[in-house]
Amino acid sequence: MTNGNGTTLELIGAPTDIGASVRGAGMGPDALRVAGLPEALARQGFTVLDRGNLAGPATPWTAPTNGLRHLDEVIAWNRSVYAAVDTALGTGHVPLMLGGDHCLAIGSISAVAWHARKRRKKLRVVWLDAHSDVNTETTSPSGNLHGMPVSCLLGHGPAVLTGWSGERAALEHDAIRFIGIRSVDAEEKEAIRTLGLHVFDMRHIDEHGMRTTMTEALQDVGEDTHLHVSFDLDCLDPNIAPGVGTGVRGGPTYREMQLCMEMIADTGRLGSVDVVELNPALDVRNQTAEVAVELIESLFGKSTLVR
Ligand SMILES: [Mn+2]
C-alpha cells in the first residue's frame, strides 16, 4: 500500500440531481461515505478533510425553458462547487467533488482550469463515462444539463455557464480524453467529429484493450500536467454498477476499470477528481458505492504489490 506523501484530500459533497433525468443522485455523497470512502483514503496515508455537503436549491422538476432544464438552479449549484474546489486547490489540497449529477463538472473543472492556467500547468481531463455529454441546448433531446457539461467547458454551452475559468473555453478540445463511451446522440457524433475530440469508445477498448487505450489517453502527461479525472459511475458496466440513472449495457469490466485507475495513479499527476451520477435510489445494497470506493482507492495508488 502506498502512503499519502503528505497530500491532503478534500471531500466536497454536492448533493443534487439538478441536471439529471431521474431523481436520486443527490444521495450520492452520503452513499460514498456510508461505503467508507473517507476511511479508505485515510488508510492509504492521506490526510482526509471531509468538508460535508454544500447547500443549494431543491430540484423543481419543471420542464425545460429554451432547451435547458433548471438553468438557474444548475448555475447556483455550480457556483458553490466552483468556490469549494477553488478554495481546496488554493490551499494545495486535492479536491474530490462527490456528486450529484455530471452537470457539476462545469463548476469543478472550471475552477481546476483557472488554477492550472495560473500555475502555467497543462491540463488533461480524463472523462470516464458511457456518454459523451457534449449536447447543447439546441441538440439535447431532454434539456437535462448533465448531458452538456463538456460543451459548456469547451465554450459552446449557454453563455451563463461558460467562461468561468477566465477564458471562454475552460478546456481546449485536445485537453480531454473520453473513456468507455457507448451512447452518443446523433448530433453529438457530429460535434465530436467537428470539434476533433479524442474519444476512446467501447469498440476501441474491445479492439485494443484497456492497457493500450490508457497508454494513448495518458500520452504526454508529464511533470507540468495537472490531471483531472471526471468519473461518471455509468461508465461501468451496469452488472457491477446498477446504481446509476442512465445505465448502458456493455461497459468496462471491474478488472478493466481497475487497470484504468491504476494507470492513472502511475502518472503521479492526479490533482483533482469528480465522482458523479451515483444514484442510491436505484442501487442494490449500496454495491455501486462500494465498487466506486474500491476504484477510487486504486485511482489514488492502492495496488496489490509494491511496484
Ligand atoms: Mn456523464
Side-chain angles (χ1 to χ4, degrees), residues 102 127-131 133 146 149 232 234 276-277:
H102 217 164
W127 195 273
L128 307 173
D129 209 316
H131 313 87
D133 294 349
H146 75 162
D232 186 326
D234 71 26
V276 297
E277 298 285 350

Side-chain angles (χ1 to χ4, degrees), residues 8 32 48 58 71 115 121 139 142 239 250 274 286 295 302 305:
T8 298
L32 290 164
V48 180
L71 179 61
H115 277 269
K121 286 198 161 191
T139 68
S142 66
N239 282 323
D274 311 319
N286 216 28
L295 290 167
K302 182 175 175 180
L305 304 172

Side-chain angles (χ1 to χ4, degrees), residues 11-12 55 60-61 91 119 167 172 195 214 222 267 299:
L11 307 187
I12 300 163
W61 298 105
T91 42
R119 292 173 192 165
E167 298 280 343
E172 298 300 323
L195 297 167
M214 291 312 294
T267 67
L299 183 60

Side-chain angles (χ1 to χ4, degrees), residues 86 91 109 135-136 142 220 241 269:
D86 175 47
T91 42
I109 294 177
N135 266 303
T136 65
S142 66
D220 305 323
R269 305 265 62 94

Side-chain angles (χ1 to χ4, degrees), residues 102 124-132 176-183 198-205 209-218 228-232 234-236 250-252 256-257 259-261 264:
H102 217 164
R124 173 70 54 87
V125 172
V126 177
W127 195 273
L128 307 173
D129 209 316
H131 313 87
S132 48
I176 183 165
R177 302 288 182 278
F178 299 82
I179 309 286
I181 306 301
R182 56 197 181 276
S183 172
H198 299 275
V199 175
F200 299 97
D201 65 354
M202 282 312 299
R203 177 164 178 176
H204 189 93
I205 296 171
M210 187 60 89
R211 182 188 157 86
T212 301
T213 301
M214 291 312 294
T215 302
E216 292 171 300
L218 297 169
H228 176 94
V229 170
S230 204
F231 182 21
D232 186 326
D234 71 26
C235 181
L236 294 162
E256 285 173 323
M257 242 14 240
L259 178 60
C260 169
M261 296 305 195
I264 294 170

